[in-house]
Amino acid sequence: MPTISGAHHVAFTVQDVGASAAWYQDLLGLREYPAHADGTFSEFRTGLDHIAFTVPSRDDLESWQGLLAEKGITFSPIADSPLGSLIALRDPDNIQLELWLPPGEDRRGPE
């Protein structure tokens, strides 16, 4: 069976292009896409549930936690499980994003 080594891109549709563009630009350096007026995002509708961005180390995950707090963005504290460690947050349209450290990856960062 063929394997997948990562994701190339994800496109979000949003309610308020200005607010979403500013939020993504400020946090991740991303750009906007033309808006669609079809209501607030819900993971219960057909389509995207959430997206997880992989981080390379526990130190990076902790740095993201600090940056999110600095920017006043609501997020879950780092949650550790057998499936990995993650921070969950939502964008201005309520789309859930995760910053995820896979299990077995560098959980402490460089020495």
Side-chain angles (χ1 to χ4, degrees):
M1 177 178 210
T3 61
I4 297 172
S5 63
H8 183 267
H9 70 272
V10 174
F12 297 114
T13 52
V14 301
Q15 290 188 68
D16 183 332
V17 171
S20 291
W23 191 88
Y24 278 101
Q25 178 68 35
D26 182 52
L27 182 62
L28 300 174
L30 301 180
R31 298 290 187 253
E32 67 182 274
Y33 190 79
H36 296 270
D38 52 1
T40 300
F41 173 81
S42 170
E43 58 268 23
F44 300 108
R45 286 194 298 243
T46 300
L48 180 72
D49 179 62
H50 70 277
I51 183 167
F53 297 100
T54 305
V55 299
S57 72
R58 179 67 179 219
D59 289 343
D60 286 295
L61 195 59
E62 291 171 357
S63 292
W64 274 108
Q65 185 170 250
L67 180 64
L68 294 169
E70 179 184 306
K71 292 182 176 294
I73 296 171
T74 302
F75 63 94
S76 71
I78 295 173
D80 297 308
S81 80
L83 300 175
S85 301
L86 69 89
I87 297 170
L89 61 143
R90 291 188 179 262
D91 80 353
D93 286 290
N94 204 40
I95 297 170
Q96 182 172 310
L97 309 173
E98 294 176 355
L99 298 163
W100 179 62
L101 178 65
E105 297 293 315
D106 175 9
R107 301 184 79 72
R108 286 288 132 208
E111 294 293 325

